Amino acid sequence: PTTSIVELGSGIGLASLALALSSSQSPCSIIATDGSPSSIRLLNENFDRYFPKDCTTTATNNRPSAYMLEWGDDTAIDSLLHNQHLLCGKYPDLIMASDVVYAHSAQRELFHTISRLCPPQHKHGRVVIAHRWRANLKEEESFFEMFDNGGFVREEVGLEYYTRDNSVYRKRSMMDMKYPVSLFEMRRS
């Protein structure tokens, strides 16, 4: 079966492009979403550049689709879920996002969108968020705590860093590192 993937806050689509190009041997449906019309235009331009419509290689089977989605908009979320060319009434297998938590004002809408795309009955769905920690750790951590309190199991995965002298590993919470980044995986409990 085809794996379905939704990227939230895609911007220019780098993550979706990388995923599509690296998974050319496995069929997947990749939907890159953004709430900005100019980003949707850029997404389509980039997808056309790397997946020309006249190309017949196996990689073109995984050509991402661009979709306008404002976080928290139930009508847009329902439209995405029931789009006959995209998710066809099924929940995505994977929801991914990178560097989307910095705007505290949009955190509730982002969590709402993720919760609608991965509801409690969707036990095999996964949410993966890459996050670069900034100045307000408490506000940023409060976003991830929404998952803990909202029926998800959250795990920080795969990212450990060397200290400045490379003597020991440390987790992301150590702010003495130059670029603290975390990768979280969430699934329904």
Side-chain angles (χ1 to χ4, degrees):
T2 300
T3 300
S4 59
I5 301 159
V6 172
E7 181 185 11
L8 299 173
S10 300
I12 62 170
L14 179 62
S16 289
L17 280 169
L19 184 61
L21 292 168
S22 68
S23 62
S24 61
Q25 301 304 313
S26 302
C28 59
S29 169
I30 302 168
I31 304 146
T33 69
D34 205 283
S36 163
S38 61
S39 289
I40 297 300
R41 181 182 49 78
L42 287 170
L43 285 167
N44 281 317
E45 287 174 9
N46 286 332
F47 298 160
D48 287 344
R49 176 176 292 135
Y50 289 97
F51 297 91
K53 290 182 173 44
D54 59 350
C55 183
T56 58
T57 66
T58 55
T60 58
N61 294 334
N62 291 340
R63 182 189 193 280
S65 301
Y67 193 85
M68 179 79 175
L69 179 66
E70 289 196 35
W71 300 337
D73 181 342
D74 285 336
T75 302
I77 296 166
D78 288 340
S79 179
L80 171 61
L81 285 169
H82 299 289
N83 185 302
Q84 294 303 309
H85 301 289
L86 299 175
L87 292 173
C88 305
K90 297 178 183 171
Y91 297 112
D93 299 302
L94 174 66
I95 301 162
M96 65 179 189
S98 179
D99 200 28
V100 294
V101 182
Y102 58 88
H104 182 69
S105 61
Q107 289 179 359
R108 290 211 176 278
E109 290 83 1
L110 175 57
F111 178 75
H112 176 78
T113 300
I114 292 169
S115 295
R116 289 288 313 281
L117 293 172
C118 189
Q121 69 270 25
H122 188 45
K123 298 292 186 189
H124 75 275
R126 295 290 181 264
V127 179
V128 176
I129 299 178
H131 177 63
R132 182 190 182 285
W133 296 92
R134 291 176 169 78
N136 195 335
L137 295 178
K138 188 174 181 179
E139 278 188 8
E140 293 171 33
E141 181 62 30
S142 71
F143 170 75
F144 293 103
E145 288 172 353
M146 287 186 220
F147 289 93
D148 301 338
N149 300 323
F152 286 88
V153 174
R154 171 174 58 127
E155 179 182 2
E156 187 173 1
V157 294
L159 293 180
E160 292 180 326
Y161 296 91
Y162 286 108
T163 58
R164 292 180 197 268
D165 67 356
N166 292 335
S167 62
V168 294
Y169 282 102
R170 293 197 182 183
K171 291 282 190 190
R172 62 100 180 135
S173 58
M174 301 301 185
M175 291 305 296
D176 63 340
M177 298 177 321
K178 188 173 181 183
Y179 300 107
V181 175
S182 291
L183 183 65
F184 290 102
E185 177 184 354
M186 283 75 73
R187 64 186 184 290
R188 283 297 183 173
S189 52

